[in-house]
């Protein structure tokens, strides 16, 4: 009986010890900007998963400052976190972040925006989506709706972000097959709704005739659609990317035409899973791709149910 008691006590202590070890895991997360609407959902989903997994997260806002983000990563390392997750401010300036983490032996996961480096070193994982595919889905939908003819504009995100360039490249790749669809305007609104609204209003005041507007994200799509509504232009197709709750609501009420679903939950959970695998030295993919899907008025309810 005494042996059984000792065995039960030992088993319980091992169980509690393993749980405590899991709860002691700490991951530092630096986001390019807390003002980004899509990234807000990424943070929320990551927080939920961390609570389920018993992981402590420390979030920091880089405020779109490359130097500040490097300082945050260095601070995480000095605090001896078990891993670092980075949503990079500038995808062309991630090498110093990677070098700081790998030199210290700290796993680093890039989320949502992949570094521009073609090959990532060991100890580094990227959890992203194929931004060119988002642009292709937008453009093919519009090309079909316009019958291959019309004038269009493109609202660009942050020019330092490879998502901006890749989504735009995807749009242009498809439009190259339709010579009668002309791109007459292409300017940045830096992911912002208000800037997009002002820019679209300026185009309309300048007499630009538009049949469609491609926005690199939902916030800019909503801003463009609001400007069009104010000007009485109800027949212009407006497309976004992300499938945020605001974007989905805009499609539901007919303000925005379509969007492309970028899975915030999939990216958030995928990034934390990748960090935990590296911490535990478990094999995993180095480039994790979360697929995009087209959101239309016909299937928007399905996506709204997914994001609740």
């Amino acid at each position: 009986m005494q042996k059984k008691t000792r065995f039960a006590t030992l088993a319980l202590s091992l169980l509690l010890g393993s749980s405590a070890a899991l709860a002691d895991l700490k991951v530092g997360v630096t986001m390019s900007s807390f003002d980004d609407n899509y990234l807000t959902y990424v943070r929320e989903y990551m927080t939920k998963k961390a609570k389920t997994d018993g992981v402590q997260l420390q979030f920091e806002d880089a405020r779109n400052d490359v130097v500040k983000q490097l300082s945050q990563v260095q601070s995480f390392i000095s605090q001896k976190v078990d891993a670092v997750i980075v949503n990079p401010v500038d995808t062309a300036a991630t090498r110093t972040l990677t070098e700081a983490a790998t030199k210290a032996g700290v796993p680093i996961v890039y989320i949502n925006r992949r570094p521009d480096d073609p090959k990532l070193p060991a100890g580094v994982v990227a959890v992203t989506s194929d931004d060119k595919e988002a642009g292709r889905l937008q453009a093919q939908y519009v090309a079909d709706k316009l019958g291959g003819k019309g004038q269009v504009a493109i609202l660009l995100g942050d020019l330092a972000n490879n998502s901006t360039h890749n989504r735009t490249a995807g749009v242009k790749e498809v439009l190259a097959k339709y010579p009668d669809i002309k791109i007459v305007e292409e300017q940045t609104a830096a992911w912002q709704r208000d800037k997009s609204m002002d820019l679209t209003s300026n185009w309309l005041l300048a007499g630009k005739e538009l049949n469609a507007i491609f926005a690199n994200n939902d916030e800019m799509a909503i801003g463009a659609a609001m400007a069009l509504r104010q000007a009485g232009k109800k027949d212009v197709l407006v497309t976004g990317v992300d499938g945020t709750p605001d974007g989905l609501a805009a499609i539901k009420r007919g303000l925005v035409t379509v969007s492309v679903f970028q899975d915030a939950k999939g990216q958030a959970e995928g990034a934390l899973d990748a960090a935990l695998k590296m911490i535990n030295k478990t094999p995993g993919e180095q480039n994790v791709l979360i697929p995009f899907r087209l959101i239309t008025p016909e299937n928007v309810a399905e996506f709204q149910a997914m994001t609740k």
Side-chain angles (χ1 to χ4, degrees), residues 21-31 46-47 49-51 53-60 72-73 75-77 79-86 106-111 268 271-280:
L22 184 61
D24 286 341
L25 289 180
K26 186 174 181 180
V27 176
V29 186
T30 167
M31 308 298 282
M46 196 181 296
T47 299
K49 179 169 175 58
K51 287 180 180 178
D53 291 349
V55 177
Q56 181 183 349
L57 296 182
Q58 179 182 336
F59 285 103
E60 296 292 345
Q72 289 167 349
V73 170
S75 177
F76 288 149
I77 293 169
Q79 294 173 51
K80 300 189 182 302
V81 297
D82 296 286
V84 175
I85 295 176
V86 179
V106 177
I108 182 168
V109 179
Y110 288 100
I111 183 172
L272 194 53
D273 278 339
L276 293 176
K277 283 180 180 178
M278 285 194 287
I279 290 169
N280 295 318

Side-chain angles (χ1 to χ4, degrees), residues 28 73 80 111 132 172 176 187 201 205-206 211 231 234 258 304:
V73 170
K80 300 189 182 302
I111 183 172
K132 281 189 177 180
K172 291 181 177 180
Q187 295 185 51
S201 294
L205 287 172
N211 301 107
K234 296 182 179 181
V258 297
Q304 285 182 313

Side-chain angles (χ1 to χ4, degrees), residues 278-307:
M278 285 194 287
I279 290 169
N280 295 318
K281 303 188 184 308
T282 303
E285 293 181 40
Q286 191 170 31
N287 294 287
V288 180
L289 278 178
I290 309 298
F292 279 109
R293 293 170 60 192
L294 186 67
I295 307 166
T296 67
E298 290 75 28
N299 67 8
V300 66
E302 172 190 343
F303 290 94
Q304 285 182 313
M306 289 170 55
T307 55

Side-chain angles (χ1 to χ4, degrees), residues 116-130:
D116 290 350
D117 297 331
K119 187 174 181 180
L120 301 176
V124 183
V125 171
V127 180
T128 58
S129 299
D130 181 359

